[in-house]
């Protein structure tokens, strides 16, 4: 029996080691790192890989961990919110969370529970942003919330903070065309909420760039859920105004601009923003898209706080073991 238990333990250890990435590389001098995760876990069999994401993040030298939304697929119940909040708070680093469409905008779907999206958004805000002035995680950090401005009091989820000469900011833009996708019980309130939320996101990044210029910061890092359509063929209706204004601000900014997002369920690093109608990329703009279900993994982004550069993006995919 003792030999059998030893063999089982050895096999279990081998299974975990085969599905975990290698130890993260030490940070170069003058650099800091942060983590990006999104769009998962969706299914019960992805839970094991997400727990290994948490284990990997907890052993990594990262200053904060950002969840770019879609914390689950369904259901949109209060209990599911509480479970995901507990999972984020199990991470030893500060965790900054910006919502995706799955956890509120798509909750009208029968499989999600048939909820009214705006009611779910209100509940989500009360659950995850009880104190808008600090992040989640086992070691929360102080952040500045857009809700401190009376003109945008409801946007507790939009946060900003600075680190190593970079202004970091989250904006609430989600998939499903930023919540414009139609559903049978859609009302005028749902439509106006999209306009209001997009306007708040635009105002929030305008402020971020203004502060970055005034304080001579190296750059701006923006985290959001949606892939808003940065390419030359234009953005969907829910994002057009935001992307246009973002491009204007990036083009007039001397520093580096990084956008990290989920939604597409595809890891990629590129420079998709173009100058006007030309094929010339905006040189100081970089996009990092993170993994999403059925791939469960995170991206470790290394930033040089001395030279003001994005040094690297390290994909840390958790391999499957059979079905999980």
């Amino acid at each position: 029996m003792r030999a059998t238990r030893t063999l089982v333990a050895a096999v279990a250890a081998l299974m975990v080691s085969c599905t975990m990435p290698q130890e993260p590389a030490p940070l170069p001098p003058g650099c800091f790192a942060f983590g990006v995760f999104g769009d998962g876990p969706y299914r019960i069999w992805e839970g094991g890989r997400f727990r290994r994401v948490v284990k990997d993040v907890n052993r990594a030298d990262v200053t904060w961990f950002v969840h770019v939304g879609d914390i689950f697929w369904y259901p949109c119940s209060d209990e599911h919110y509480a479970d995901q909040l507990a999972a984020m708070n199990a991470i030893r680093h500060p965790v900054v969370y910006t919502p995706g469409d799955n956890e509120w905008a798509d909750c009208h779907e029968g499989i999600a529970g048939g909820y009214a999206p705006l009611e779910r958004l209100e509940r989500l805000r009360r659950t995850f942003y009880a104190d808008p002035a600090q992040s989640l995680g086992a070691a929360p950090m102080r952040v500045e919330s857009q809700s401190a401005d009376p003109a945008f009091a409801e946007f507790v989820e939009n946060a900003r903070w600075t680190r190593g000469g970079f202004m970091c900011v989250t904006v609430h833009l989600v998939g499903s065309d930023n919540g414009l996708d139609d559903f049978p019980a859609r009302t005028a309130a749902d439509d106006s909420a999209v306009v209001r939320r997009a306007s708040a996101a635009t105002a929030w990044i305008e402020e971020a760039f203004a502060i970055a210029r005034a304080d001579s910061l190296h750059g701006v890092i923006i985290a959001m859920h949606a892939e808003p359509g940065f390419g030359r063929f234009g953005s969907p209706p829910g994002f057009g105004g935001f992307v246009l204004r973002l491009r204007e601000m990036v083009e007039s900014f001397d520093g580096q601009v990084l956008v990290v997002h989920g939604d597409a369920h595809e890891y990629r690093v590129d420079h998709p923003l173009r100058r006007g109608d030309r094929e010339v990329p905006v040189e100081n703009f970089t996009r990092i898209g993170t993994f999403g279900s059925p791939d469960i993994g995170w991206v470790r982004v290394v930033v040089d706080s001395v030279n003001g550069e994005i040094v690297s993006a390290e994909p840390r995919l958790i391999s499957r073991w059979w079905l999980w």
Side-chain angles (χ1 to χ4, degrees):
M1 288 294 294
R2 182 179 300 170
T4 300
R5 287 196 295 269
T6 301
L7 178 60
V8 169
V11 171
L14 178 63
M15 289 164 59
V16 171
S17 65
C18 288
T19 60
M20 290 286 285
Q22 295 295 315
E23 190 79 18
L27 286 173
C31 293
F32 70 92
F34 65 94
V36 183
F37 176 85
D39 299 288
Y42 279 7
R43 299 166 177 84
I44 190 169
W45 54 85
E46 295 171 357
R49 276 181 286 151
F50 177 69
R51 288 189 290 274
R52 290 193 290 280
V53 163
V54 173
K55 182 177 180 180
D56 192 38
V57 169
N58 281 346
R59 68 176 179 166
D61 184 5
V62 295
T63 305
W64 70 83
F65 182 75
V66 59
H67 196 309
V68 291
D70 273 14
I71 55 178
F72 54 66
W73 184 15
Y74 65 85
C76 297
S77 63
D78 292 355
E79 294 77 15
H80 212 171
Y81 286 163
D83 289 344
Q84 296 308 308
L85 176 61
M88 291 188 202
N89 284 333
I91 296 172
R92 75 176 181 91
H93 308 288
V95 176
V96 181
Y97 161 58
T98 185
D101 53 315
N102 279 14
E103 53 264 42
W104 73 269
D106 295 343
C107 292
H108 58 84
E109 296 175 352
I111 196 171
Y115 294 94
L118 294 183
E119 182 276 328
R120 285 292 84 188
L121 176 56
E122 182 181 350
R123 170 62 71 175
L124 182 145
R125 284 169 167 161
R126 290 202 305 268
T127 301
F128 290 91
Y129 305 97
D131 182 356
Q134 71 173 18
S135 73
L136 303 174
M141 67 179 180
R142 302 300 291 177
V143 298
E144 187 174 357
S145 171
Q146 191 177 20
S147 63
D149 182 346
F152 298 101
E154 69 265 42
F155 295 101
V156 291
E157 65 272 21
N158 288 342
R160 72 183 175 214
W161 64 101
T162 57
R163 169 75 182 192
F166 282 79
M167 166 64 71
C168 308
V169 57
T170 63
V171 289
H172 187 178
L173 298 172
V174 302
S176 300
D177 196 9
N178 201 21
L180 275 180
D181 282 0
D182 198 17
F183 58 94
R186 190 175 185 92
T187 68
D190 294 290
D191 297 337
S192 62
V194 173
V195 176
R196 170 79 173 149
R197 195 164 36 78
S199 297
T202 302
W204 194 228
I205 64 165
E206 286 176 341
E207 250 186 67
F209 275 95
I211 294 171
R213 290 190 188 92
D215 294 348
S216 300
L217 298 180
H218 293 315
V220 176
I221 299 171
I222 303 170
M224 60 188 182
H225 174 250
E227 198 294 293
F230 289 121
R232 61 189 176 88
F233 296 111
S235 301
F239 308 108
F242 175 85
V243 172
L244 178 62
R245 187 70 184 106
L246 174 62
R247 186 177 67 196
E248 292 171 349
M249 287 184 284
V250 173
E251 289 181 341
S252 63
F253 183 63
D254 291 333
Q256 295 297 308
V257 179
L258 171 66
V259 167
V260 297
H261 69 77
D263 192 22
H265 296 228
E266 177 187 0
Y267 169 68
R268 55 184 163 180
V269 181
D270 59 8
H271 308 278
L273 205 60
R274 306 289 165 173
R275 292 191 178 276
D277 296 328
R278 294 175 289 165
E279 291 298 313
V280 180
V282 180
E283 297 85 356
N284 61 328
F285 179 86
T286 303
R287 176 260 296 280
I288 298 176
T290 191
F291 300 103
S293 175
D295 291 327
I296 303 296
W298 64 290
V299 182
R300 181 174 180 249
V301 182
V302 178
V303 181
D304 186 332
S305 60
V306 177
N307 297 312
E309 299 174 350
I310 309 300
V311 175
S312 64
E314 178 189 355
R316 300 189 63 78
L317 181 64
I318 305 298
S319 302
R320 299 186 194 188
W321 182 262
W322 290 332
L323 295 179
W324 51 270

